[in-house]
Amino acid sequence: MTAPRKITLTINGTVRSAEAEPRMLLADFIRETLGLTGTHVGCEHGVCGACTIIVNGEAQRSCLAFAVQADGATITTIEGLAASDRMHPLQKLFHECHALQCGFCTPGMLAAALDLVGSHDRLTTEEIRTGMSAVICRCTGYDGIMRAVTAYADQLGKLAPAKG
Amino acid sequence: MKPPQFDYHAPGSIEEAVTLLGSYGGDAKVLAGGQSLIPVLNFRLARPGVLIDINRIGALSFIREADGGVAIGATTRQRMIEGSDIVGRRAPLLADATRLIGHLPIRTRGTIGGSLSHADPAAEDPAVVTALDATMVALSKRGERRVPASGFFRSLLTTALEPDELLVRIEFPPTPAGTGTAFVEISRRHGDFALAGVAAQVTLAGDRASEVRLAACGAGPGPIRLAAAEKIVRDGGASAASIEAAAAAAAAGVEPTSDVHASAAYRRDLVRAMTRRALERAVARAAGGTR
Protein backbone atom coordinates (compact mmCIF):
# COMPACT_ATOMS: atom_id res chain seq x y z
CA MET A 1 0.00 0.00 0.00
CA THR A 2 3.06 2.24 0.11
CA ALA A 3 3.48 1.52 -3.62
CA PRO A 4 3.18 4.40 -6.10
CA ARG A 5 -0.29 5.23 -7.37
CA LYS A 6 -1.42 6.84 -10.56
CA ILE A 7 -2.66 10.39 -10.18
CA THR A 8 -4.54 12.30 -12.88
CA LEU A 9 -5.32 15.96 -12.44
CA THR A 10 -5.89 19.11 -14.44
CA ILE A 11 -3.20 21.69 -13.84
CA ASN A 12 -3.27 25.12 -15.49
CA GLY A 13 -5.75 23.77 -18.04
CA THR A 14 -3.73 20.68 -18.98
CA VAL A 15 -4.58 17.12 -17.96
CA ARG A 16 -1.50 15.42 -16.50
CA SER A 17 -1.00 11.89 -15.19
CA ALA A 18 1.92 10.58 -13.16
CA GLU A 19 2.71 8.16 -10.37
CA ALA A 20 3.50 9.10 -6.79
CA GLU A 21 4.05 7.33 -3.50
CA PRO A 22 1.21 8.08 -1.05
CA ARG A 23 3.61 10.04 1.17
CA MET A 24 4.58 12.47 -1.58
CA LEU A 25 3.41 15.99 -0.79
CA LEU A 26 1.33 17.77 -3.41
CA ALA A 27 3.95 20.57 -3.48
CA ASP A 28 6.73 18.10 -4.33
CA PHE A 29 4.59 16.35 -6.94
CA ILE A 30 3.93 19.66 -8.68
CA ARG A 31 7.57 20.75 -8.54
CA GLU A 32 9.49 17.54 -9.04
CA THR A 33 7.17 15.21 -10.91
CA LEU A 34 5.30 17.72 -13.06
CA GLY A 35 8.28 20.09 -13.33
CA LEU A 36 6.32 23.21 -12.39
CA THR A 37 8.84 24.86 -10.09
CA GLY A 38 7.00 28.16 -9.74
CA THR A 39 5.33 26.80 -6.61
CA HIS A 40 7.84 27.34 -3.82
CA VAL A 41 8.38 25.24 -0.71
CA GLY A 42 9.34 27.13 2.44
CA CYS A 43 8.52 25.85 5.90
CA GLU A 44 6.74 22.56 5.07
CA HIS A 45 4.33 23.01 7.96
CA GLY A 46 1.77 25.41 6.64
CA VAL A 47 3.03 28.57 8.29
CA CYS A 48 4.88 30.49 5.58
CA GLY A 49 2.37 30.14 2.73
CA ALA A 50 4.94 30.14 -0.09
CA CYS A 51 3.47 26.88 -1.48
CA THR A 52 -0.12 28.20 -1.58
CA ILE A 53 -1.92 27.15 -4.79
CA ILE A 54 -5.52 27.10 -5.95
CA VAL A 55 -7.24 23.70 -5.86
CA ASN A 56 -10.82 23.42 -7.14
CA GLY A 57 -11.14 27.19 -6.89
CA GLU A 58 -9.85 27.61 -3.34
CA ALA A 59 -6.40 28.50 -2.02
CA GLN A 60 -4.65 25.88 0.08
CA ARG A 61 -1.16 24.91 1.25
CA SER A 62 0.32 22.38 -1.16
CA CYS A 63 2.75 21.23 1.56
CA LEU A 64 -0.22 20.16 3.71
CA ALA A 65 -1.83 17.71 1.30
CA PHE A 66 -0.64 14.53 -0.35
CA ALA A 67 -0.51 14.26 -4.12
CA VAL A 68 -2.84 11.22 -4.01
CA GLN A 69 -5.49 13.44 -2.44
CA ALA A 70 -5.44 15.69 -5.51
CA ASP A 71 -6.38 12.86 -7.90
CA GLY A 72 -9.17 14.30 -10.06
CA ALA A 73 -8.61 17.89 -8.88
CA THR A 74 -8.35 21.07 -10.92
CA ILE A 75 -5.31 23.12 -9.93
CA THR A 76 -3.97 26.55 -10.78
CA THR A 77 -0.36 27.46 -9.98
CA ILE A 78 1.59 30.61 -10.71
CA GLU A 79 2.41 29.23 -14.18
CA GLY A 80 -1.30 29.29 -15.04
CA LEU A 81 -1.99 32.97 -14.37
CA ALA A 82 -0.56 34.79 -17.37
CA ALA A 83 -2.26 34.44 -20.76
CA SER A 84 0.67 33.80 -23.14
CA ASP A 85 2.81 36.94 -22.74
CA ARG A 86 0.14 39.02 -21.05
CA MET A 87 0.41 39.19 -17.28
CA HIS A 88 -2.65 38.53 -15.14
CA PRO A 89 -4.06 41.88 -13.85
CA LEU A 90 -2.93 40.99 -10.33
CA GLN A 91 0.60 40.16 -11.55
CA LYS A 92 0.67 43.51 -13.32
CA LEU A 93 -0.37 45.30 -10.11
CA PHE A 94 2.30 43.45 -8.10
CA HIS A 95 4.83 44.69 -10.67
CA GLU A 96 3.55 48.27 -10.65
CA CYS A 97 3.19 48.52 -6.85
CA HIS A 98 6.64 47.02 -6.09
CA ALA A 99 4.86 44.22 -4.23
CA LEU A 100 7.86 41.91 -4.43
CA GLN A 101 11.58 41.98 -3.92
CA CYS A 102 13.19 38.52 -3.84
CA GLY A 103 9.99 36.96 -5.20
CA PHE A 104 10.11 33.75 -3.16
CA CYS A 105 6.72 34.32 -1.53
CA THR A 106 5.09 35.85 -4.62
CA PRO A 107 3.49 32.67 -6.09
CA GLY A 108 1.82 32.03 -2.72
CA MET A 109 0.88 35.70 -2.32
CA LEU A 110 -0.87 35.71 -5.71
CA ALA A 111 -2.79 32.49 -5.01
CA ALA A 112 -3.88 33.73 -1.58
CA ALA A 113 -4.88 37.14 -2.96
CA LEU A 114 -6.85 35.72 -5.90
CA ASP A 115 -8.84 33.49 -3.57
CA LEU A 116 -9.33 36.24 -0.98
CA VAL A 117 -10.69 38.74 -3.51
CA GLY A 118 -12.48 36.09 -5.56
CA SER A 119 -14.39 34.62 -2.62
CA HIS A 120 -15.67 37.93 -1.22
CA ASP A 121 -18.25 40.35 -2.62
CA ARG A 122 -16.80 43.19 -0.61
CA LEU A 123 -13.55 43.67 1.28
CA THR A 124 -12.30 46.32 3.68
CA THR A 125 -8.58 47.18 3.73
CA GLU A 126 -8.50 45.61 7.20
CA GLU A 127 -9.88 42.35 5.78
CA ILE A 128 -7.27 42.46 3.03
CA ARG A 129 -4.54 43.03 5.63
CA THR A 130 -5.78 40.06 7.67
CA GLY A 131 -6.18 37.92 4.55
CA MET A 132 -2.69 38.65 3.24
CA SER A 133 -1.16 37.67 6.59
CA ALA A 134 -1.76 34.13 5.28
CA VAL A 135 1.57 34.36 3.45
CA ILE A 136 4.83 35.54 5.01
CA CYS A 137 6.96 38.10 3.14
CA ARG A 138 10.24 39.08 4.71
CA CYS A 139 11.31 41.65 2.10
CA THR A 140 8.63 44.18 1.38
CA GLY A 141 7.07 45.05 4.71
CA TYR A 142 3.74 44.36 2.98
CA ASP A 143 3.09 47.98 1.93
CA GLY A 144 3.44 47.23 -1.77
CA ILE A 145 1.47 44.00 -1.39
CA MET A 146 -1.36 45.86 0.33
CA ARG A 147 -1.38 48.49 -2.43
CA ALA A 148 -1.48 45.82 -5.16
CA VAL A 149 -4.22 43.67 -3.64
CA THR A 150 -6.27 46.72 -2.65
CA ALA A 151 -6.02 48.07 -6.21
CA TYR A 152 -7.04 44.65 -7.55
CA ALA A 153 -10.13 44.53 -5.29
CA ASP A 154 -10.92 48.07 -6.44
CA GLN A 155 -10.57 47.07 -10.13
CA LEU A 156 -13.17 44.38 -9.56
CA GLY A 157 -15.47 46.83 -7.71
CA LYS A 158 -15.09 44.90 -4.45
CA LEU A 159 -13.33 47.44 -2.26
CA ALA A 160 -15.47 48.60 0.64
CA PRO A 161 -15.36 52.39 1.09
CA ALA A 162 -13.16 53.57 3.97
CA LYS A 163 -15.07 54.46 7.10
CA GLY A 164 -15.52 58.26 7.24
CA MET B 1 11.74 17.06 5.88
CA LYS B 2 9.43 14.61 4.15
CA PRO B 3 6.83 12.30 5.70
CA PRO B 4 7.85 8.73 6.59
CA GLN B 5 6.34 5.84 4.61
CA PHE B 6 2.85 4.69 5.52
CA ASP B 7 0.19 2.36 4.17
CA TYR B 8 -2.49 4.56 2.64
CA HIS B 9 -6.19 3.82 2.57
CA ALA B 10 -8.87 6.16 1.24
CA PRO B 11 -12.20 4.50 2.07
CA GLY B 12 -15.29 5.70 0.24
CA SER B 13 -17.76 5.02 3.04
CA ILE B 14 -18.03 5.42 6.81
CA GLU B 15 -18.52 1.64 7.20
CA GLU B 16 -15.30 0.94 5.30
CA ALA B 17 -13.39 3.50 7.38
CA VAL B 18 -14.65 2.03 10.65
CA THR B 19 -13.76 -1.49 9.49
CA LEU B 20 -10.22 -0.34 8.65
CA LEU B 21 -9.89 1.41 12.03
CA GLY B 22 -11.16 -1.76 13.71
CA SER B 23 -8.45 -3.86 12.09
CA TYR B 24 -5.51 -1.41 12.42
CA GLY B 25 -6.49 0.40 15.64
CA GLY B 26 -3.49 2.03 17.30
CA ASP B 27 -1.23 1.59 14.25
CA ALA B 28 -3.46 3.89 12.21
CA LYS B 29 -4.00 7.63 12.17
CA VAL B 30 -7.10 9.15 10.64
CA LEU B 31 -6.30 11.83 8.06
CA ALA B 32 -8.98 14.53 7.96
CA GLY B 33 -7.99 18.03 6.78
CA GLY B 34 -4.36 17.31 7.59
CA GLN B 35 -3.53 20.84 8.73
CA SER B 36 -2.13 19.50 12.02
CA LEU B 37 -1.34 15.89 11.14
CA ILE B 38 0.68 16.56 7.98
CA PRO B 39 3.09 19.00 9.72
CA VAL B 40 3.60 16.31 12.38
CA LEU B 41 4.41 13.78 9.63
CA ASN B 42 6.61 16.23 7.70
CA PHE B 43 8.69 16.74 10.85
CA ARG B 44 8.56 13.00 11.63
CA LEU B 45 7.21 13.68 15.09
CA ALA B 46 4.94 10.66 14.48
CA ARG B 47 5.37 7.58 12.30
CA PRO B 48 1.97 5.92 11.99
CA GLY B 49 2.09 2.65 10.04
CA VAL B 50 -1.24 3.33 8.37
CA LEU B 51 -3.06 6.47 7.27
CA ILE B 52 -6.83 6.28 6.80
CA ASP B 53 -7.82 9.24 4.63
CA ILE B 54 -11.49 10.08 5.25
CA ASN B 55 -11.63 13.01 2.80
CA ARG B 56 -13.39 10.97 0.09
CA ILE B 57 -16.32 10.08 2.37
CA GLY B 58 -19.02 12.52 1.28
CA ALA B 59 -21.36 11.44 4.10
CA LEU B 60 -19.01 12.97 6.71
CA SER B 61 -19.31 16.50 5.32
CA PHE B 62 -22.57 18.30 6.14
CA ILE B 63 -24.17 21.07 8.17
CA ARG B 64 -27.80 20.52 9.07
CA GLU B 65 -30.39 21.78 11.50
CA ALA B 66 -31.21 19.11 14.07
CA ASP B 67 -33.42 19.23 17.18
CA GLY B 68 -33.36 23.03 17.18
CA GLY B 69 -29.57 23.05 17.11
CA VAL B 70 -27.11 22.08 14.43
CA ALA B 71 -25.29 18.86 13.54
CA ILE B 72 -21.99 19.10 11.67
CA GLY B 73 -20.15 16.23 9.98
CA ALA B 74 -16.60 15.54 11.11
CA THR B 75 -14.87 16.41 7.82
CA THR B 76 -16.84 19.61 7.24
CA ARG B 77 -14.24 22.22 6.29
CA GLN B 78 -13.80 25.22 8.56
CA ARG B 79 -14.21 27.38 5.48
CA MET B 80 -17.68 25.90 4.90
CA ILE B 81 -18.60 26.44 8.57
CA GLU B 82 -17.42 30.06 8.40
CA GLY B 83 -19.70 30.79 5.45
CA SER B 84 -22.71 28.79 6.64
CA ASP B 85 -25.99 30.65 7.27
CA ILE B 86 -27.18 27.75 9.42
CA VAL B 87 -24.13 27.98 11.68
CA GLY B 88 -24.47 31.78 11.82
CA ARG B 89 -28.06 31.44 13.05
CA ARG B 90 -27.89 28.25 15.11
CA ALA B 91 -24.36 28.28 16.55
CA PRO B 92 -23.10 31.86 16.25
CA LEU B 93 -20.28 31.22 18.74
CA LEU B 94 -18.82 28.61 16.38
CA ALA B 95 -19.03 31.08 13.49
CA ASP B 96 -17.20 33.72 15.58
CA ALA B 97 -14.44 31.30 16.52
CA THR B 98 -13.95 29.75 13.09
CA ARG B 99 -12.90 33.08 11.53
CA LEU B 100 -9.95 33.13 13.93
CA ILE B 101 -8.62 29.68 12.98
CA GLY B 102 -5.33 29.94 11.08
CA HIS B 103 -5.77 31.63 7.71
CA LEU B 104 -8.26 31.21 4.86
CA PRO B 105 -5.99 28.72 2.97
CA ILE B 106 -5.77 26.64 6.18
CA ARG B 107 -9.55 26.73 6.68
CA THR B 108 -9.97 25.56 3.07
CA ARG B 109 -8.71 22.14 4.22
CA GLY B 110 -9.03 22.17 8.02
CA THR B 111 -12.01 20.28 9.46
CA ILE B 112 -13.94 20.63 12.71
CA GLY B 113 -13.61 16.92 13.48
CA GLY B 114 -9.86 17.01 12.87
CA SER B 115 -9.38 19.95 15.20
CA LEU B 116 -11.42 18.29 17.96
CA SER B 117 -9.68 14.92 17.59
CA HIS B 118 -6.25 16.57 17.59
CA ALA B 119 -7.21 18.49 20.77
CA ASP B 120 -4.56 21.17 20.71
CA PRO B 121 -5.04 23.14 23.95
CA ALA B 122 -4.70 26.48 22.11
CA ALA B 123 -7.22 25.60 19.38
CA GLU B 124 -10.57 27.37 19.05
CA ASP B 125 -12.96 24.50 18.22
CA PRO B 126 -12.33 22.56 21.47
CA ALA B 127 -13.11 25.71 23.51
CA VAL B 128 -16.34 26.26 21.55
CA VAL B 129 -17.68 22.72 22.04
CA THR B 130 -16.67 22.92 25.73
CA ALA B 131 -18.52 26.21 26.27
CA LEU B 132 -21.63 24.91 24.49
CA ASP B 133 -21.36 21.37 25.87
CA ALA B 134 -21.79 19.97 22.38
CA THR B 135 -21.92 16.21 21.86
CA MET B 136 -19.24 14.31 19.96
CA VAL B 137 -20.60 11.23 18.20
CA ALA B 138 -18.06 8.45 17.68
CA LEU B 139 -18.55 5.29 15.65
CA SER B 140 -16.78 1.94 15.76
CA LYS B 141 -17.56 -1.67 14.88
CA ARG B 142 -18.92 -1.86 18.42
CA GLY B 143 -21.53 0.79 17.68
CA GLU B 144 -22.18 4.49 18.21
CA ARG B 145 -21.06 6.36 21.32
CA ARG B 146 -22.11 9.86 22.35
CA VAL B 147 -19.55 11.79 24.37
CA PRO B 148 -20.35 15.21 25.86
CA ALA B 149 -17.60 17.81 25.53
CA SER B 150 -17.09 17.72 29.31
CA GLY B 151 -15.87 14.12 28.98
CA PHE B 152 -14.17 14.32 25.58
CA PHE B 153 -10.89 16.15 26.25
CA ARG B 154 -8.70 14.08 28.55
CA SER B 155 -5.34 15.88 28.56
CA LEU B 156 -2.79 17.41 26.21
CA LEU B 157 -3.60 16.22 22.64
CA THR B 158 -5.63 13.35 24.11
CA THR B 159 -9.35 12.68 23.77
CA ALA B 160 -11.79 10.02 24.91
CA LEU B 161 -11.78 8.48 21.40
CA GLU B 162 -10.69 4.83 21.45
CA PRO B 163 -8.18 3.69 18.79
CA ASP B 164 -10.97 1.99 16.81
CA GLU B 165 -13.39 4.93 17.03
CA LEU B 166 -14.04 7.52 14.34
CA LEU B 167 -15.51 10.91 15.23
CA VAL B 168 -18.41 11.19 12.75
CA ARG B 169 -20.39 14.27 13.79
CA ILE B 170 -20.76 17.00 16.36
CA GLU B 171 -24.17 18.04 17.70
CA PHE B 172 -24.65 21.57 19.01
CA PRO B 173 -27.60 22.36 21.29
CA PRO B 174 -30.12 25.07 20.38
CA THR B 175 -29.15 28.70 20.99
CA PRO B 176 -31.91 30.37 23.06
CA ALA B 177 -33.51 33.66 21.96
CA GLY B 178 -31.85 36.74 23.44
CA THR B 179 -28.38 35.24 23.15
CA GLY B 180 -25.13 36.99 22.25
CA THR B 181 -21.77 35.33 21.64
CA ALA B 182 -18.12 36.32 21.28
CA PHE B 183 -14.83 34.53 20.82
CA VAL B 184 -11.80 36.66 21.60
CA GLU B 185 -8.16 35.68 21.64
CA ILE B 186 -4.70 37.19 21.67
CA SER B 187 -2.00 36.01 19.30
CA ARG B 188 1.20 37.77 18.24
CA ARG B 189 0.14 37.73 14.58
CA HIS B 190 -3.22 36.99 13.01
CA GLY B 191 -3.43 33.26 12.31
CA ASP B 192 -0.90 32.18 14.94
CA PHE B 193 -1.99 29.90 17.74
CA ALA B 194 -3.66 31.96 20.46
CA LEU B 195 -1.63 32.66 23.59
CA ALA B 196 -5.01 32.51 25.28
CA GLY B 197 -8.62 32.93 24.22
CA VAL B 198 -12.11 32.89 25.68
CA ALA B 199 -15.45 31.76 24.24
CA ALA B 200 -18.53 33.42 25.72
CA GLN B 201 -22.25 32.93 25.20
CA VAL B 202 -24.73 34.96 27.25
CA THR B 203 -28.53 34.77 27.19
CA LEU B 204 -30.36 37.79 28.61
CA ALA B 205 -33.88 37.66 30.06
CA GLY B 206 -34.78 41.19 31.10
CA ASP B 207 -32.10 42.34 33.56
CA ARG B 208 -30.94 38.80 34.25
CA ALA B 209 -28.40 36.66 32.50
CA SER B 210 -30.42 33.46 32.38
CA GLU B 211 -27.64 31.40 30.79
CA VAL B 212 -23.89 32.03 30.72
CA ARG B 213 -21.36 29.79 29.02
CA LEU B 214 -17.60 30.42 29.16
CA ALA B 215 -14.55 28.39 28.16
CA ALA B 216 -10.87 29.20 27.75
CA CYS B 217 -8.21 27.93 25.36
CA GLY B 218 -4.43 28.23 25.74
CA ALA B 219 -4.78 28.20 29.49
CA GLY B 220 -4.17 24.57 30.46
CA PRO B 221 -3.66 21.08 29.01
CA GLY B 222 -7.04 21.32 27.28
CA PRO B 223 -10.07 23.58 26.95
CA ILE B 224 -11.38 24.73 30.35
CA ARG B 225 -15.00 25.48 31.24
CA LEU B 226 -15.00 28.61 33.43
CA ALA B 227 -17.83 27.51 35.75
CA ALA B 228 -17.10 29.88 38.65
CA ALA B 229 -17.09 32.87 36.32
CA GLU B 230 -20.34 31.70 34.70
CA LYS B 231 -22.03 31.50 38.10
CA ILE B 232 -21.00 35.05 39.05
CA VAL B 233 -22.69 36.52 35.96
CA ARG B 234 -25.70 34.22 36.25
CA ASP B 235 -26.23 35.26 39.89
CA GLY B 236 -25.09 38.86 39.68
CA GLY B 237 -26.26 39.93 36.23
CA ALA B 238 -24.32 41.49 33.39
CA SER B 239 -23.19 44.66 35.17
CA ALA B 240 -19.63 45.94 34.77
CA ALA B 241 -18.83 44.97 38.36
CA SER B 242 -20.16 41.47 37.88
CA ILE B 243 -18.20 41.02 34.64
CA GLU B 244 -15.02 42.22 36.35
CA ALA B 245 -15.56 39.75 39.21
CA ALA B 246 -16.19 36.96 36.69
CA ALA B 247 -12.97 37.82 34.85
CA ALA B 248 -11.02 37.56 38.11
CA ALA B 249 -12.66 34.20 38.88
CA ALA B 250 -11.83 32.96 35.37
CA ALA B 251 -8.16 33.85 35.82
CA ALA B 252 -8.10 32.06 39.17
CA GLY B 253 -9.64 28.94 37.67
CA VAL B 254 -7.16 28.16 34.86
CA GLU B 255 -3.84 26.30 34.93
CA PRO B 256 -1.64 27.91 32.27
CA THR B 257 1.99 26.90 31.80
CA SER B 258 5.01 28.93 30.73
CA ASP B 259 6.64 28.35 27.37
CA VAL B 260 8.73 30.27 24.86
CA HIS B 261 5.67 32.26 23.73
CA ALA B 262 4.37 33.51 27.08
CA SER B 263 4.75 33.02 30.83
CA ALA B 264 2.04 31.37 32.92
CA ALA B 265 1.39 34.65 34.75
CA TYR B 266 0.91 36.52 31.47
CA ARG B 267 -1.47 33.85 30.17
CA ARG B 268 -3.47 34.00 33.40
CA ASP B 269 -3.78 37.76 33.03
CA LEU B 270 -4.82 37.30 29.39
CA VAL B 271 -7.63 34.97 30.51
CA ARG B 272 -8.85 37.73 32.84
CA ALA B 273 -8.75 40.35 30.07
CA MET B 274 -10.22 38.02 27.40
CA THR B 275 -13.05 36.93 29.74
CA ARG B 276 -13.98 40.56 30.37
CA ARG B 277 -13.88 41.46 26.66
CA ALA B 278 -15.75 38.33 25.56
CA LEU B 279 -18.49 38.90 28.16
CA GLU B 280 -18.83 42.60 27.30
CA ARG B 281 -19.14 41.82 23.60
CA ALA B 282 -21.54 38.90 24.11
CA VAL B 283 -23.75 40.97 26.41
CA ALA B 284 -23.79 43.88 23.95
CA ARG B 285 -24.75 41.53 21.14
CA ALA B 286 -27.45 39.87 23.24
CA ALA B 287 -28.89 43.27 24.15
CA GLY B 288 -28.67 44.49 20.55
CA GLY B 289 -30.19 41.33 19.10
CA THR B 290 -27.23 40.78 16.77
CA ARG B 291 -25.90 37.63 18.42
Side-chain angles (χ1 to χ4, degrees):
Chain A
M1 291 294 181
T2 61
R5 296 178 177 214
K6 189 176 173 195
I7 296 156
T8 303
L9 45 75
T10 305
I11 190 157
N12 303 327
T14 307
V15 178
R16 302 278 303 266
S17 283
E19 290 202 331
E21 260 189 86
R23 66 170 173 154
M24 183 175 239
L25 298 175
L26 180 55
D28 293 328
F29 181 73
I30 289 169
R31 286 176 54 82
E32 291 167 26
T33 308
L34 302 183
L36 297 167
T37 54
T39 297
H40 293 164
V41 175
C43 71
E44 293 190 321
H45 64 138
V47 173
C48 78
C51 71
T52 305
I53 60 170
I54 296 175
V55 180
N56 298 329
E58 296 180 332
Q60 68 168 66
R61 308 295 204 223
S62 59
C63 75
L64 296 190
F66 295 109
V68 286
Q69 298 185 288
D71 187 35
T74 300
I75 293 176
T76 304
T77 65
I78 186 73
E79 290 92 342
L81 294 190
S84 65
D85 285 342
R86 226 177 42 255
M87 280 195 285
H88 184 281
L90 183 61
Q91 286 177 307
K92 201 156 176 289
L93 285 165
F94 263 62
H95 172 75
E96 287 166 3
C97 298
H98 301 283
L100 63 148
Q101 287 182 29
C102 85
F104 189 85
C105 71
T106 311
M109 283 287 178
L110 289 165
L114 284 171
D115 183 29
L116 176 70
V117 178
S119 64
H120 287 79
D121 295 331
R122 203 165 156 276
L123 279 163
T124 63
T125 46
E126 197 47 45
E127 285 166 337
I128 295 173
R129 190 178 301 278
T130 302
M132 294 317 296
S133 72
V135 182
I136 290 177
C137 172
R138 284 295 174 259
C139 299
T140 64
Y142 287 85
D143 269 14
I145 293 165
M146 278 301 296
R147 280 200 302 278
V149 180
T150 305
Y152 181 62
D154 198 23
Q155 270 185 10
L156 298 182
K158 292 185 170 190
L159 190 62
K163 280 184 190 148
Chain B
M1 282 174 38
K2 305 299 173 192
Q5 282 195 327
F6 48 78
D7 280 343
Y8 176 79
H9 297 272
S13 70
I14 295 174
E15 294 67 34
E16 211 183 320
V18 166
T19 303
L20 283 164
L21 261 182
S23 52
Y24 290 113
D27 289 339
K29 282 295 271 183
V30 175
L31 175 61
Q35 305 302 284
S36 297
L37 178 58
I38 298 181
V40 164
L41 296 175
N42 287 356
F43 285 179
R44 303 204 177 188
L45 298 173
R47 295 169 173 271
V50 179
L51 231 53
I52 301 172
D53 180 354
I54 56 172
N55 284 279
R56 304 244 174 213
I57 306 175
L60 284 175
S61 178
F62 61 84
I63 297 171
R64 61 174 173 246
E65 294 175 278
D67 302 327
V70 56
I72 302 182
T75 63
T76 308
R77 310 284 179 198
Q78 286 155 340
R79 182 169 178 147
M80 188 171 154
I81 292 169
E82 182 182 7
S84 160
D85 288 339
I86 296 176
V87 174
R89 279 185 283 116
R90 299 280 179 172
L93 180 62
L94 179 64
D96 278 347
T98 302
R99 291 182 199 107
L100 297 174
I101 300 171
H103 302 279
L104 185 61
I106 298 291
R107 300 194 292 274
T108 297
R109 292 290 295 173
T111 68
I112 184 169
S115 174
L116 296 173
S117 305
H118 183 57
D120 190 298
E124 291 84 356
D125 283 338
V128 170
V129 299
T130 298
L132 300 180
D133 210 17
T135 301
M136 269 46 80
V137 181
L139 192 68
S140 72
K141 294 283 275 182
R142 296 170 290 130
E144 192 178 275
R145 191 162 71 98
R146 301 170 60 81
V147 187
S150 56
F152 187 75
F153 302 101
R154 289 283 167 81
S155 62
L156 190 73
L157 305 176
T158 308
T159 69
L161 289 172
E162 297 292 339
D164 65 340
E165 281 182 322
L166 179 70
L167 178 60
V168 289
R169 71 177 179 279
I170 302 95
E171 296 176 357
F172 292 86
T175 306
T179 294
T181 67
F183 196 106
V184 294
E185 65 179 33
I186 290 286
S187 57
R188 296 261 174 176
R189 294 162 302 197
H190 176 85
D192 283 7
F193 274 114
L195 296 176
V198 170
Q201 177 165 306
V202 178
T203 306
L204 295 179
D207 295 342
R208 288 177 49 250
S210 55
E211 191 180 287
V212 182
R213 296 172 167 277
L214 287 165
C217 65
I224 300 174
R225 185 86 183 256
L226 304 169
E230 290 176 353
K231 187 171 185 317
I232 289 170
V233 180
R234 214 161 34 233
D235 293 348
S239 67
S242 162
I243 287 176
E244 200 57 55
V254 294
E255 324 150 28
T257 50
S258 295
D259 62 25
V260 66
H261 302 292
S263 68
Y266 181 58
R267 283 203 162 94
R268 191 182 295 281
D269 200 50
L270 282 180
V271 169
R272 185 190 56 75
M274 295 301 103
T275 301
R276 178 166 47 72
R277 280 184 213 173
L279 279 170
E280 284 170 354
R281 197 173 299 174
V283 167
R285 285 177 175 173
T290 55
R291 291 199 158 177

